[in-house]
Amino acid sequence: MASLLTRKCIIVGKLTKYVNDYTKRLSSHFIYYPDNEKPVAGETTKMNMMQAINNAMDITLRDDPTAVLFGEDVAFGGVFRCALGLQDKYGKDRVFNTPLCEQGIAGFGIGLATAGATAIAEIQFADYIFPAFDQLVNEAAKARYRSGGQFDSGALTVRTPCGAVGHGGLYHSQSPEAYFAHTPGLRVVMPRGPITAKGLLLSCIRERDPCIFLEPKILYRSAAEEVPVEDYTLPLGKAQVLREGDAATLIAWGTQLHVLLEVAQMAEEKLGVKCDVIDLMSMLPWDEETVCNSVKKTGRCLIAHEAPLTSGFGAELAATIQEECFLHLEAPITRVTGWDSPFPHVFEPFYLPDKWRCYSALAKLIEY
Amino acid sequence: MALRIGVSFVRLNYLRHAVRLLSTHTQPEVINNGGSISDFPGARAPYVTEMKFLNENSYDLIPIYRVMDKNGEVIDNREDPNIDKDTLLHMYKTMVQLSQMDKILYESQRQGRISFYMTNYGEEGIHVGSASALSHRDLVFAQYREVGVFLYRGMTITELVNQCYGNCEDPGKGRQMPVHYGSKQHNIVTISSPLATQMPQAVGAAYALKRVPNNDRCVICYFGDGAASEGDAHAAFNFAATLDCPVIMMCRNNGYAISTPTSEQYRGDGIASRGPALGMHTVRVDGTDALAVHNAVRRARELALNNKPVLIEAMSYRVGHHSTSDDSTAYRPVEEIQKWTKEESPIQKLRLYLERKGFWDADAEKQCVKEARDTVVRTMQEAEKKKRPHWKEMLEDVYYDMPPRLQKQMNQMEKHLEKYSEHYPLNQYQQD
Ligand SMILES: Cc1ncc(C[n+]2csc(CCOP(=O)(O)OP(=O)(O)O)c2C)c(N)n1
């Protein structure tokens, strides 16, 4: 026993060193840039993204008696606690657990929407949305079209946590926006923080098209913003220009947007140039006008996303930009993305399009 | 139902049989239309003139087969599998090793040494009971809470701990989260997080084995009560039955899928009731009784090798939290957890059985626990010294041969790291 104790002490000693190394690895790869501008006037409260999403669903359940919220483990609040307290407040018939079956969740949601209810479905992780792919891509997306406008699944919103968290490995890290952005009839949306999350989620819920609402899970608790307490929406299909400059256009969404905000700051400090930074927010339909106007102004464009390079959503942006802005371009459009491999566990720091990869690409883009 | 062999398998091929085998108390009055049986291709069932809906109460509850009582005493001596002493001790020691590993690795996650962990508390009996009844050559498809099967087959604590650390000796090369073990050598297919995906795969593997001349191998597939709700689960059962596959579908029904209790996961009589409905031999066992599980799997293996697929529902209780990301006191009473920890411990039951046989005593126990703990602690110290694999492993194994486009990306990253090396934790990874 004594020997075991000393051994344990040695381990604790080593542990401290190791934990330090480890925290370095797990520390997030970005700095969070909170939104300071309020989308509407009036009272605000400090909320993190999880609370802002909770608040949007609370408002929906309060004001729309047909609205229901469901998914795996949603009754106790969901594994990320976005639905916390809502079952107590609105009852078990409105906020409930489903059996463990994503295709069931999506199909059930489409059915609710078809029969006039507002459906907010949670898929526990975006990595697990693929069993629901058929229901979303073949059914939700095409219901209006194939029925000549008689039926639709517009009242369905599918919320799902996505993106890197530092230790998620293959199946708790993916960003599947491009798969869905290839599907006419769907809307694909990703917020960058609490304020956009609340406004965009309320838009998705009320929008008359089915929406896939991707929530970068690392942002749930990473930062708080002063979020308006009252009901407000942010337009779908519209991008936001968050920084203005003339040297280049930087485009991202979700967590990656914060990486590019830092890169823009680095470019200002190290290269003495200013860039437009655009949060695309909606991947489908996407805001061609805002993006192309910016690139026409700057003549240079860098797109960054966590998902792999090949057939990532950056490919769609790049193709359209070169078509629309060809004569304005001073350099080839650059993409900085996850590599063309599954999302790896211990290699995450090498996999992500972090600020150094983005900065290096931007420096080359500007020198070109 | 023939209960003599102890394990009773239920098969529902024809409604006639089902009525006889299953519905002991609400047998529909069969008023034969001149004794005629229908000719419908979809159901060759008798005609009746009385309309009767069936529901979950139309059948008796499927009983839970057990060999031992709470005190490790064999209830009916004819059911004692009389496993040889070495095997019994290997089973027991594996359980002890497993629970010590769980304790220490769970703790190590709390301390930030590994990023994630899942314990197996309460389900050790299912692991060793099934593993001991199989050939090591039988192919295993696991969910994630079956590491006792890996241990029983001889995968070392070192290999398992290296996987959890994702270091350069992790057989999975650091690519997956902790507990996603796999071992070609031990015939255990690498674990994947998306639930139930392994189920139809196991059935396909079984079909491939069946086609091997003189096949003497079967496949066992483990899955949870939650995973059983996935579409893939239904596909697996149906394929297994219609394609006569040598497969054992082993459900670990531990009462919860994260926070979702089985009462919200299914109606009807558990997972077992689906077996006869789909044409599989089916039995329900007490998963806290390693001997009962052993008997069930031994018999199931015989059936499987005759290309009769089997569904086993092993009842247990998930004593630990779902994972290190979960706090189960948010959705279940502490007393419930305690009851199962204290009264129905599979480890304790087997220990009492061994003691009765004179194979085990307090000294042996002390020694075994100490060795088990020391092995894990020592292994962790070693694992911590090992670097993570070279970062280039990130892009290997995507394809058999690396395509030029990926090669190009690797070159880009290499150049980038030359210039920006100070911003990457390269010293924690193996280098050229
Ligand atoms: C397709 C899919 N959906 C959701 C998840 C998230 N998830 C991981 S484990 C789990 C619960 C599984 O419960 P069960 O099958 O009963 O096994 P147990 O954890 O109880 O052993 C869930 C929902 C997943 N891994 N895969």
Side-chain angles (χ1 to χ4, degrees), chain A residues 72-73 100 102 124-125 128 131, chain B residues 123 143-145 193-195 224-227 230 252 254 256-258 318 322:
Chain A
E72 293 157 17
D73 302 293
L100 206 171
E102 293 74 16
Q124 201 162 79
F125 284 87
Y128 304 136
Chain B
E123 301 181 43
Q143 180 161 309
Y144 48 64
R145 213 185 292 286
S193 321
L195 287 167
D225 46 276
E230 290 282 6
R252 300 178 290 97
N254 61 17
Y256 288 90
I258 309 188
R318 196 196 75 212
H322 170 71

Side-chain angles (χ1 to χ4, degrees), chain A residues 4 11 15 19 22 25 73 76 97 99-100 102-103 128 168 170 172 309-310 340 345-346 354 356-357, chain B residues 111-113 115 174-175 177 193 226 229-231 257 259-260 264-265 373-374 388 405 409 416 423-424 429:
Chain A
L4 189 75
I11 285 202
L15 179 61
V19 166
Y22 200 83
R25 180 168 80 90
D73 302 293
F76 93 123
N97 285 339
L100 206 171
E102 293 74 16
Q103 64 190 108
Y128 304 136
L170 278 80
H172 296 84
L309 177 74
T310 301
D340 283 346
H345 183 239
V346 304
D354 65 356
W356 297 108
R357 279 179 57 203
Chain B
Q111 299 164 342
R113 299 162 132 186
S115 62
R175 293 180 187 137
M177 281 173 74
S193 321
S229 292
E230 290 282 6
S259 75
T260 306
E264 294 175 27
Q265 195 65 250
R373 193 186 306 163
D374 287 356
R388 300 199 174 100
R405 194 168 160 82
Q409 294 179 22
H416 178 74
H423 301 299
Y424 293 85
Y429 296 77

